[in-house]
Amino acid sequence: MDKKKLTRWDLQQMKDSGEKAVWITAYDYWNASFAEKAGMDMILVGDSLGMCVYGYEGTVPVTMDQCICHCEAVRRGAKSTFIIGDMPFLSYQVSVENAVLNAGRFHKEAGVDAIKLEGGKRVCPQIRAICDGGMLVMGHIGLTPQSSGQLGGFKAQGRTARAAYELIEDAKAIQEAGAFALLVEAVPPEVCDIIRTTLTIPVYSIGAGIDADGQLMISSDVAGVFQAFTPKFVKKYENLAEKTIQAFSAYKEDVKQGRFPAPEHTYKMVEGELEKLQTKLN
Ligand code: KIV
């Protein structure tokens, strides 16, 4: 039976009934189809594609056009999964009008179900306007990689009472602005739990502990593809980097040793045609 794509109300119902949602990032057709086959509730086409696909050091260089292209591929690979497009740096910070137009591009050009943007109170006018435009917005607080410079690096957030209080205030403002869900990144579990119980909308964690309405992980981390660094909150379920290098090396050895391609990897000429060709050539 075909998988049924979830709606915001299904996600809300999952929170209300205590069922955890599980989601993962994907950036291309293949990984999107694997995520759908694995039964993910949602897929995020994160701007982490800057690091995971393009090899940038952070997410700041990622453009709208790159995000749209990757969202289109993911949509084709996961037609029955709720897909969230991640708004890249400078696609929503400049003005409310610009934010609505760019959120609209994700929907019109790539067919996403929702967009996500980073920030607390300071992006609430954008969240409200995008929601007024009939779109679904997910908030993202805690470690917000696009402002890692301001945060002093890719560091855990909300570790003091004052910082945690600010995060809780941000979370409340985001819900009030109309977001359908909130992602909390790299904060202590106790703080995420307070946010989850304070808000009525689903609150998801990446690196914010188990007391959330669901968990997000980066696909390249789960599969063990990303090699540059491993955040504390990552659990690698495979080592595809090693397996892929092994496969590439075996292929290289086969070619160098004259073992590939074997007869079974080649095409046969139509019967009698080789003789005709040789006659012609002579
Ligand atoms: O871009 C992304 O994948 C994200 C996660 C790190 C939360 O925003």
Side-chain angles (χ1 to χ4, degrees):
M1 204 177 76
D2 278 349
K3 183 183 175 222
K4 176 187 164 287
K5 184 160 76 160
L6 298 182
T7 67
R8 68 173 298 190
W9 300 121
D10 295 318
L11 295 164
Q12 184 65 50
Q13 164 63 24
M14 286 166 77
K15 173 184 175 112
D16 297 342
S17 65
E19 184 189 345
K20 302 263 185 191
V22 57
W23 46 310
I24 198 162
T25 63
Y27 315 107
D28 58 28
Y29 173 86
W30 290 114
N31 279 300
S33 72
F34 299 156
E36 181 157 298
K37 286 197 176 97
M40 290 294 151
D41 294 311
M42 293 183 275
I43 292 176
L44 171 69
V45 187
D47 63 353
S48 49
L49 65 87
M51 288 118 103
C52 299
V53 178
Y54 291 95
Y56 303 147
E57 281 183 10
T59 57
V60 167
V62 175
T63 66
M64 270 299 294
D65 287 344
Q66 286 171 325
C67 288
I68 297 285
C69 271
H70 287 278
C71 282
E72 285 175 10
V74 168
R75 177 81 287 166
R76 286 192 286 270
K79 295 194 172 67
S80 306
T81 305
F82 190 96
I83 292 175
I84 302 159
D86 205 9
M87 296 195 65
F89 182 58
L90 287 195
S91 69
Y92 57 96
Q93 289 92 341
V94 178
S95 72
V96 167
E97 190 182 349
N98 195 236
V100 177
L101 283 170
N102 282 323
R105 277 194 66 193
F106 273 95
H107 287 78
K108 277 174 89 94
E109 297 174 35
V112 302
D113 299 291
I115 57 90
K116 171 173 90 55
L117 50 78
E118 296 180 6
K121 289 192 198 101
R122 64 185 178 188
V123 293
C124 282
Q126 285 88 329
I127 294 177
R128 191 164 288 114
I130 297 169
C131 293
D132 285 348
M135 296 170 265
L136 287 174
V137 180
M138 178 183 283
H140 177 176
I141 58 171
L143 170 52
T144 45
Q146 291 172 20
S147 33
S148 58
Q150 220 172 43
L151 300 176
F154 293 93
K155 286 185 176 159
Q157 301 295 308
R159 298 179 66 210
T160 63
R162 190 180 162 159
Y165 182 82
E166 282 306 314
L167 282 181
I168 295 161
E169 289 300 298
D170 278 339
K172 289 198 268 189
I174 288 167
Q175 172 171 283
E176 180 59 33
F180 80 101
L182 176 66
L183 176 66
V184 180
E185 178 168 354
V187 309
E190 298 83 355
V191 179
C192 185
D193 193 29
I194 294 171
I195 295 174
R196 176 185 67 88
T197 50
T198 304
L199 301 197
T200 55
I201 59 173
V203 174
Y204 303 117
S205 150
I206 176 164
I210 203 161
D211 291 318
D213 297 311
Q215 298 291 328
L216 166 68
M217 284 285 279
I218 306 276
S219 49
S220 319
D221 288 332
V222 172
V225 174
F226 189 68
Q227 304 272 284
F229 59 90
T230 306
K232 180 180 165 72
F233 57 75
V234 163
K235 179 169 174 185
K236 291 190 180 188
Y237 287 82
E238 245 310 341
N239 193 341
L240 282 196
E242 205 174 290
K243 289 196 167 159
T244 307
I245 294 167
Q246 276 168 11
F248 290 177
S249 306
Y251 160 57
K252 186 197 91 179
E253 275 312 300
D254 272 1
V255 172
K256 297 275 185 193
Q257 300 302 326
R259 291 190 296 252
F260 178 85
E264 65 265 30
H265 304 120
T266 58
Y267 300 97
K268 283 194 176 59
M269 273 192 89
V270 173
E271 189 132 2
E273 291 301 306
L274 182 58
E275 292 73 14
K276 281 193 210 161
L277 175 64
Q278 276 160 347
T279 312
K280 238 182 174 162
L281 292 173
N282 289 333

mmCIF file of all heavy atoms in Angstrom, residues 232-268:
data_model
loop_
_atom_site.group_PDB
_atom_site.id
_atom_site.type_symbol
_atom_site.label_atom_id
_atom_site.label_comp_id
_atom_site.label_asym_id
_atom_site.label_seq_id
_atom_site.Cartn_x
_atom_site.Cartn_y
_atom_site.Cartn_z
ATOM 1 N N LYS A 232 28.837 16.176 18.902
ATOM 2 C CA LYS A 232 28.606 15.276 20.056
ATOM 3 C C LYS A 232 27.274 14.518 19.946
ATOM 4 O O LYS A 232 27.159 13.382 20.367
ATOM 5 C CB LYS A 232 28.607 16.152 21.319
ATOM 6 C CG LYS A 232 28.388 15.433 22.638
ATOM 7 C CD LYS A 232 28.422 16.477 23.755
ATOM 8 C CE LYS A 232 27.869 15.970 25.072
ATOM 9 N NZ LYS A 232 28.717 15.012 25.740
ATOM 10 N N PHE A 233 26.251 15.169 19.369
ATOM 11 C CA PHE A 233 24.916 14.569 19.376
ATOM 12 C C PHE A 233 24.679 13.549 18.258
ATOM 13 O O PHE A 233 23.598 12.970 18.158
ATOM 14 C CB PHE A 233 23.823 15.646 19.335
ATOM 15 C CG PHE A 233 23.877 16.594 18.164
ATOM 16 C CD1 PHE A 233 23.484 16.202 16.895
ATOM 17 C CD2 PHE A 233 24.305 17.907 18.346
ATOM 18 C CE1 PHE A 233 23.518 17.087 15.832
ATOM 19 C CE2 PHE A 233 24.342 18.800 17.291
ATOM 20 C CZ PHE A 233 23.943 18.386 16.022
ATOM 21 N N VAL A 234 25.704 13.315 17.440
ATOM 22 C CA VAL A 234 25.517 12.423 16.291
ATOM 23 C C VAL A 234 25.715 10.962 16.672
ATOM 24 O O VAL A 234 26.658 10.624 17.385
ATOM 25 C CB VAL A 234 26.508 12.802 15.165
ATOM 26 C CG1 VAL A 234 26.653 11.682 14.145
ATOM 27 C CG2 VAL A 234 26.062 14.096 14.496
ATOM 28 N N LYS A 235 24.813 10.112 16.200
ATOM 29 C CA LYS A 235 25.044 8.668 16.285
ATOM 30 C C LYS A 235 25.162 8.155 14.851
ATOM 31 O O LYS A 235 24.229 8.308 14.053
ATOM 32 C CB LYS A 235 23.881 7.979 17.009
ATOM 33 C CG LYS A 235 24.058 6.481 17.091
ATOM 34 C CD LYS A 235 23.039 5.838 18.031
ATOM 35 C CE LYS A 235 23.150 4.328 17.976
ATOM 36 N NZ LYS A 235 22.116 3.658 18.762
ATOM 37 N N LYS A 236 26.327 7.571 14.533
ATOM 38 C CA LYS A 236 26.533 7.020 13.179
ATOM 39 C C LYS A 236 26.003 5.595 13.163
ATOM 40 O O LYS A 236 26.435 4.775 13.965
ATOM 41 C CB LYS A 236 28.019 7.012 12.819
ATOM 42 C CG LYS A 236 28.594 8.391 12.621
ATOM 43 C CD LYS A 236 29.987 8.327 12.027
ATOM 44 C CE LYS A 236 30.502 9.755 11.858
ATOM 45 N NZ LYS A 236 31.744 9.864 11.148
ATOM 46 N N TYR A 237 25.075 5.319 12.241
ATOM 47 C CA TYR A 237 24.494 3.972 12.161
ATOM 48 C C TYR A 237 25.196 3.118 11.118
ATOM 49 O O TYR A 237 24.935 1.933 11.020
ATOM 50 C CB TYR A 237 22.988 4.057 11.861
ATOM 51 C CG TYR A 237 22.190 4.527 13.062
ATOM 52 C CD1 TYR A 237 22.077 5.874 13.371
ATOM 53 C CD2 TYR A 237 21.571 3.598 13.895
ATOM 54 C CE1 TYR A 237 21.362 6.295 14.478
ATOM 55 C CE2 TYR A 237 20.850 4.010 15.004
ATOM 56 C CZ TYR A 237 20.746 5.354 15.286
ATOM 57 O OH TYR A 237 20.041 5.756 16.392
ATOM 58 N N GLU A 238 26.041 3.720 10.323
ATOM 59 C CA GLU A 238 26.775 2.983 9.285
ATOM 60 C C GLU A 238 28.082 3.718 9.028
ATOM 61 O O GLU A 238 28.285 4.822 9.539
ATOM 62 C CB GLU A 238 25.953 2.951 7.979
ATOM 63 C CG GLU A 238 25.482 1.573 7.545
ATOM 64 C CD GLU A 238 26.562 0.502 7.509
ATOM 65 O OE1 GLU A 238 27.765 0.822 7.474
ATOM 66 O OE2 GLU A 238 26.208 -0.686 7.525
ATOM 67 N N ASN A 239 28.944 3.084 8.242
ATOM 68 C CA ASN A 239 30.151 3.780 7.812
ATOM 69 C C ASN A 239 30.239 3.698 6.292
ATOM 70 O O ASN A 239 31.064 2.991 5.728
ATOM 71 C CB ASN A 239 31.390 3.183 8.477
ATOM 72 C CG ASN A 239 32.592 4.102 8.280
ATOM 73 O OD1 ASN A 239 32.585 4.958 7.394
ATOM 74 N ND2 ASN A 239 33.609 3.929 9.084
ATOM 75 N N LEU A 240 29.306 4.419 5.632
ATOM 76 C CA LEU A 240 29.236 4.332 4.174
ATOM 77 C C LEU A 240 30.456 4.933 3.504
ATOM 78 O O LEU A 240 30.790 4.561 2.385
ATOM 79 C CB LEU A 240 27.974 5.024 3.643
ATOM 80 C CG LEU A 240 26.655 4.274 3.772
ATOM 81 C CD1 LEU A 240 25.615 4.898 2.860
ATOM 82 C CD2 LEU A 240 26.812 2.791 3.457
ATOM 83 N N ALA A 241 31.112 5.875 4.177
ATOM 84 C CA ALA A 241 32.319 6.461 3.586
ATOM 85 C C ALA A 241 33.333 5.337 3.364
ATOM 86 O O ALA A 241 33.863 5.172 2.264
ATOM 87 C CB ALA A 241 32.887 7.537 4.496
ATOM 88 N N GLU A 242 33.554 4.542 4.429
ATOM 89 C CA GLU A 242 34.536 3.457 4.323
ATOM 90 C C GLU A 242 34.104 2.438 3.275
ATOM 91 O O GLU A 242 34.891 1.994 2.441
ATOM 92 C CB GLU A 242 34.670 2.788 5.682
ATOM 93 C CG GLU A 242 36.009 2.119 5.875
ATOM 94 C CD GLU A 242 36.109 1.618 7.294
ATOM 95 O OE1 GLU A 242 36.207 2.454 8.212
ATOM 96 O OE2 GLU A 242 36.052 0.378 7.478
ATOM 97 N N LYS A 243 32.798 2.098 3.299
ATOM 98 C CA LYS A 243 32.302 1.101 2.344
ATOM 99 C C LYS A 243 32.426 1.603 0.913
ATOM 100 O O LYS A 243 32.736 0.834 0.005
ATOM 101 C CB LYS A 243 30.844 0.761 2.657
ATOM 102 C CG LYS A 243 30.732 -0.032 3.933
ATOM 103 C CD LYS A 243 29.399 -0.721 4.079
ATOM 104 C CE LYS A 243 29.517 -1.735 5.207
ATOM 105 N NZ LYS A 243 28.265 -2.123 5.774
ATOM 106 N N THR A 244 32.185 2.890 0.700
ATOM 107 C CA THR A 244 32.265 3.441 -0.658
ATOM 108 C C THR A 244 33.722 3.466 -1.122
ATOM 109 O O THR A 244 34.018 3.113 -2.270
ATOM 110 C CB THR A 244 31.657 4.865 -0.683
ATOM 111 O OG1 THR A 244 30.347 4.795 -0.117
ATOM 112 C CG2 THR A 244 31.552 5.408 -2.088
ATOM 113 N N ILE A 245 34.625 3.848 -0.225
ATOM 114 C CA ILE A 245 36.052 3.863 -0.598
ATOM 115 C C ILE A 245 36.500 2.439 -0.947
ATOM 116 O O ILE A 245 37.215 2.219 -1.927
ATOM 117 C CB ILE A 245 36.915 4.472 0.532
ATOM 118 C CG1 ILE A 245 36.565 5.956 0.704
ATOM 119 C CG2 ILE A 245 38.411 4.314 0.227
ATOM 120 C CD1 ILE A 245 37.095 6.599 1.965
ATOM 121 N N GLN A 246 36.001 1.464 -0.163
ATOM 122 C CA GLN A 246 36.349 0.052 -0.456
ATOM 123 C C GLN A 246 35.847 -0.348 -1.839
ATOM 124 O O GLN A 246 36.556 -0.989 -2.619
ATOM 125 C CB GLN A 246 35.719 -0.877 0.582
ATOM 126 C CG GLN A 246 36.549 -1.015 1.844
ATOM 127 C CD GLN A 246 35.773 -1.708 2.966
ATOM 128 O OE1 GLN A 246 34.693 -2.257 2.745
ATOM 129 N NE2 GLN A 246 36.321 -1.653 4.161
ATOM 130 N N ALA A 247 34.623 0.047 -2.159
ATOM 131 C CA ALA A 247 34.044 -0.302 -3.472
ATOM 132 C C ALA A 247 34.847 0.355 -4.595
ATOM 133 O O ALA A 247 35.171 -0.294 -5.597
ATOM 134 C CB ALA A 247 32.581 0.126 -3.532
ATOM 135 N N PHE A 248 35.181 1.632 -4.429
ATOM 136 C CA PHE A 248 35.938 2.345 -5.467
ATOM 137 C C PHE A 248 37.328 1.705 -5.636
ATOM 138 O O PHE A 248 37.821 1.546 -6.746
ATOM 139 C CB PHE A 248 36.098 3.830 -5.117
ATOM 140 C CG PHE A 248 34.818 4.635 -5.188
ATOM 141 C CD1 PHE A 248 34.815 5.989 -4.840
ATOM 142 C CD2 PHE A 248 33.627 4.076 -5.599
ATOM 143 C CE1 PHE A 248 33.649 6.744 -4.914
ATOM 144 C CE2 PHE A 248 32.448 4.812 -5.668
ATOM 145 C CZ PHE A 248 32.461 6.151 -5.322
ATOM 146 N N SER A 249 37.949 1.314 -4.512
ATOM 147 C CA SER A 249 39.289 0.721 -4.583
ATOM 148 C C SER A 249 39.236 -0.633 -5.281
ATOM 149 O O SER A 249 40.130 -0.974 -6.075
ATOM 150 C CB SER A 249 39.886 0.518 -3.193
ATOM 151 O OG SER A 249 39.852 1.712 -2.489
ATOM 152 N N ALA A 250 38.186 -1.413 -4.983
ATOM 153 C CA ALA A 250 38.054 -2.734 -5.613
ATOM 154 C C ALA A 250 37.878 -2.575 -7.121
ATOM 155 O O ALA A 250 38.468 -3.318 -7.915
ATOM 156 C CB ALA A 250 36.875 -3.479 -5.005
ATOM 157 N N TYR A 251 37.105 -1.586 -7.532
ATOM 158 C CA TYR A 251 36.887 -1.300 -8.955
ATOM 159 C C TYR A 251 38.223 -0.923 -9.603
ATOM 160 O O TYR A 251 38.607 -1.443 -10.655
ATOM 161 C CB TYR A 251 35.849 -0.180 -9.073
ATOM 162 C CG TYR A 251 35.823 0.575 -10.375
ATOM 163 C CD1 TYR A 251 35.625 -0.085 -11.591
ATOM 164 C CD2 TYR A 251 35.979 1.964 -10.397
ATOM 165 C CE1 TYR A 251 35.605 0.618 -12.782
ATOM 166 C CE2 TYR A 251 35.963 2.668 -11.580
ATOM 167 C CZ TYR A 251 35.777 1.993 -12.777
ATOM 168 O OH TYR A 251 35.765 2.677 -13.949
ATOM 169 N N LYS A 252 38.977 -0.040 -8.915
ATOM 170 C CA LYS A 252 40.278 0.389 -9.442
ATOM 171 C C LYS A 252 41.198 -0.817 -9.629
ATOM 172 O O LYS A 252 41.796 -0.998 -10.695
ATOM 173 C CB LYS A 252 40.928 1.384 -8.475
ATOM 174 C CG LYS A 252 42.210 1.992 -9.010
ATOM 175 C CD LYS A 252 43.047 2.635 -7.931
ATOM 176 C CE LYS A 252 44.017 1.632 -7.355
ATOM 177 N NZ LYS A 252 44.896 2.150 -6.331
ATOM 178 N N GLU A 253 41.259 -1.683 -8.613
ATOM 179 C CA GLU A 253 42.131 -2.867 -8.698
ATOM 180 C C GLU A 253 41.716 -3.773 -9.845
ATOM 181 O O GLU A 253 42.567 -4.282 -10.589
ATOM 182 C CB GLU A 253 42.103 -3.640 -7.368
ATOM 183 C CG GLU A 253 43.075 -3.103 -6.346
ATOM 184 C CD GLU A 253 44.481 -2.884 -6.903
ATOM 185 O OE1 GLU A 253 45.099 -3.870 -7.359
ATOM 186 O OE2 GLU A 253 44.956 -1.725 -6.911
ATOM 187 N N ASP A 254 40.403 -3.983 -10.007
ATOM 188 C CA ASP A 254 39.904 -4.847 -11.088
ATOM 189 C C ASP A 254 40.350 -4.328 -12.457
ATOM 190 O O ASP A 254 40.762 -5.097 -13.320
ATOM 191 C CB ASP A 254 38.366 -4.916 -11.049
ATOM 192 C CG ASP A 254 37.878 -6.031 -10.132
ATOM 193 O OD1 ASP A 254 38.727 -6.730 -9.529
ATOM 194 O OD2 ASP A 254 36.651 -6.205 -10.020
ATOM 195 N N VAL A 255 40.267 -3.002 -12.642
ATOM 196 C CA VAL A 255 40.653 -2.422 -13.942
ATOM 197 C C VAL A 255 42.160 -2.560 -14.134
ATOM 198 O O VAL A 255 42.639 -3.030 -15.176
ATOM 199 C CB VAL A 255 40.213 -0.945 -14.044
ATOM 200 C CG1 VAL A 255 40.780 -0.295 -15.311
ATOM 201 C CG2 VAL A 255 38.695 -0.833 -14.028
ATOM 202 N N LYS A 256 42.910 -2.207 -13.109
ATOM 203 C CA LYS A 256 44.375 -2.265 -13.223
ATOM 204 C C LYS A 256 44.846 -3.696 -13.484
ATOM 205 O O LYS A 256 45.815 -3.922 -14.191
ATOM 206 C CB LYS A 256 45.041 -1.748 -11.933
ATOM 207 C CG LYS A 256 44.725 -0.284 -11.650
ATOM 208 C CD LYS A 256 45.667 0.637 -12.387
ATOM 209 C CE LYS A 256 45.435 2.086 -12.003
ATOM 210 N NZ LYS A 256 46.098 3.012 -12.894
ATOM 211 N N GLN A 257 44.155 -4.685 -12.874
ATOM 212 C CA GLN A 257 44.566 -6.094 -13.021
ATOM 213 C C GLN A 257 43.931 -6.771 -14.234
ATOM 214 O O GLN A 257 44.081 -7.976 -14.425
ATOM 215 C CB GLN A 257 44.178 -6.886 -11.753
ATOM 216 C CG GLN A 257 44.794 -6.390 -10.465
ATOM 217 C CD GLN A 257 46.316 -6.390 -10.500
ATOM 218 O OE1 GLN A 257 46.945 -7.265 -11.123
ATOM 219 N NE2 GLN A 257 46.934 -5.385 -9.887
ATOM 220 N N GLY A 258 43.170 -6.019 -15.014
ATOM 221 C CA GLY A 258 42.544 -6.596 -16.214
ATOM 222 C C GLY A 258 41.395 -7.543 -15.909
ATOM 223 O O GLY A 258 41.084 -8.432 -16.696
ATOM 224 N N ARG A 259 40.749 -7.376 -14.759
ATOM 225 C CA ARG A 259 39.623 -8.264 -14.392
ATOM 226 C C ARG A 259 38.270 -7.654 -14.734
ATOM 227 O O ARG A 259 37.246 -8.308 -14.652
ATOM 228 C CB ARG A 259 39.665 -8.543 -12.888
ATOM 229 C CG ARG A 259 40.828 -9.404 -12.430
ATOM 230 C CD ARG A 259 40.652 -9.820 -10.993
ATOM 231 N NE ARG A 259 40.672 -8.676 -10.099
ATOM 232 C CZ ARG A 259 41.670 -8.376 -9.271
ATOM 233 N NH1 ARG A 259 42.748 -9.146 -9.227
ATOM 234 N NH2 ARG A 259 41.595 -7.319 -8.490
ATOM 235 N N PHE A 260 38.253 -6.369 -15.075
ATOM 236 C CA PHE A 260 36.983 -5.695 -15.377
ATOM 237 C C PHE A 260 37.182 -4.821 -16.609
ATOM 238 O O PHE A 260 38.208 -4.139 -16.708
ATOM 239 C CB PHE A 260 36.540 -4.825 -14.188
ATOM 240 C CG PHE A 260 35.254 -4.087 -14.492
ATOM 241 C CD1 PHE A 260 34.030 -4.709 -14.292
ATOM 242 C CD2 PHE A 260 35.266 -2.802 -15.029
ATOM 243 C CE1 PHE A 260 32.841 -4.044 -14.603
ATOM 244 C CE2 PHE A 260 34.095 -2.145 -15.330
ATOM 245 C CZ PHE A 260 32.873 -2.770 -15.121
ATOM 246 N N PRO A 261 36.228 -4.826 -17.564
ATOM 247 C CA PRO A 261 34.970 -5.585 -17.554
ATOM 248 C C PRO A 261 35.162 -7.028 -18.011
ATOM 249 O O PRO A 261 35.970 -7.299 -18.887
ATOM 250 C CB PRO A 261 34.105 -4.814 -18.555
ATOM 251 C CG PRO A 261 35.050 -4.106 -19.456
ATOM 252 C CD PRO A 261 36.316 -3.887 -18.693
ATOM 253 N N ALA A 262 34.378 -7.927 -17.414
ATOM 254 C CA ALA A 262 34.370 -9.340 -17.808
ATOM 255 C C ALA A 262 33.360 -9.513 -18.947
ATOM 256 O O ALA A 262 32.566 -8.599 -19.205
ATOM 257 C CB ALA A 262 33.965 -10.171 -16.592
ATOM 258 N N PRO A 263 33.390 -10.676 -19.656
ATOM 259 C CA PRO A 263 32.468 -10.872 -20.785
ATOM 260 C C PRO A 263 31.008 -10.573 -20.423
ATOM 261 O O PRO A 263 30.253 -10.029 -21.231
ATOM 262 C CB PRO A 263 32.660 -12.344 -21.150
ATOM 263 C CG PRO A 263 34.055 -12.656 -20.691
ATOM 264 C CD PRO A 263 34.297 -11.813 -19.474
ATOM 265 N N GLU A 264 30.601 -10.916 -19.198
ATOM 266 C CA GLU A 264 29.183 -10.696 -18.831
ATOM 267 C C GLU A 264 28.815 -9.209 -18.721
ATOM 268 O O GLU A 264 27.649 -8.863 -18.604
ATOM 269 C CB GLU A 264 28.820 -11.432 -17.530
ATOM 270 C CG GLU A 264 29.523 -10.955 -16.277
ATOM 271 C CD GLU A 264 30.786 -11.764 -15.949
ATOM 272 O OE1 GLU A 264 31.427 -12.264 -16.898
ATOM 273 O OE2 GLU A 264 31.123 -11.873 -14.753
ATOM 274 N N HIS A 265 29.819 -8.332 -18.758
ATOM 275 C CA HIS A 265 29.525 -6.893 -18.697
ATOM 276 C C HIS A 265 29.553 -6.252 -20.076
ATOM 277 O O HIS A 265 29.586 -5.032 -20.186
ATOM 278 C CB HIS A 265 30.557 -6.176 -17.798
ATOM 279 C CG HIS A 265 30.643 -6.742 -16.426
ATOM 280 N ND1 HIS A 265 31.784 -7.265 -15.896
ATOM 281 C CD2 HIS A 265 29.682 -6.899 -15.478
ATOM 282 C CE1 HIS A 265 31.554 -7.714 -14.677
ATOM 283 N NE2 HIS A 265 30.278 -7.504 -14.403
ATOM 284 N N THR A 266 29.612 -7.075 -21.157
ATOM 285 C CA THR A 266 29.739 -6.500 -22.504
ATOM 286 C C THR A 266 28.543 -6.900 -23.376
ATOM 287 O O THR A 266 27.764 -7.786 -23.010
ATOM 288 C CB THR A 266 31.040 -6.990 -23.177
ATOM 289 O OG1 THR A 266 31.001 -8.418 -23.226
ATOM 290 C CG2 THR A 266 32.272 -6.543 -22.407
ATOM 291 N N TYR A 267 28.396 -6.216 -24.512
ATOM 292 C CA TYR A 267 27.271 -6.466 -25.427
ATOM 293 C C TYR A 267 27.730 -7.353 -26.588
ATOM 294 O O TYR A 267 28.857 -7.188 -27.081
ATOM 295 C CB TYR A 267 26.756 -5.129 -25.987
ATOM 296 C CG TYR A 267 26.270 -4.213 -24.892
ATOM 297 C CD1 TYR A 267 27.096 -3.211 -24.374
ATOM 298 C CD2 TYR A 267 24.996 -4.368 -24.358
ATOM 299 C CE1 TYR A 267 26.665 -2.387 -23.353
ATOM 300 C CE2 TYR A 267 24.553 -3.551 -23.330
ATOM 301 C CZ TYR A 267 25.389 -2.557 -22.830
ATOM 302 O OH TYR A 267 24.961 -1.758 -21.823
ATOM 303 N N LYS A 268 26.850 -8.255 -27.029
ATOM 304 C CA LYS A 268 27.188 -9.147 -28.157
ATOM 305 C C LYS A 268 26.789 -8.485 -29.467
ATOM 306 O O LYS A 268 25.762 -7.812 -29.541
ATOM 307 C CB LYS A 268 26.376 -10.442 -28.030
ATOM 308 C CG LYS A 268 26.895 -11.405 -27.006
ATOM 309 C CD LYS A 268 26.236 -12.777 -27.219
ATOM 310 C CE LYS A 268 26.779 -13.827 -26.293
ATOM 311 N NZ LYS A 268 26.612 -13.532 -24.870
#
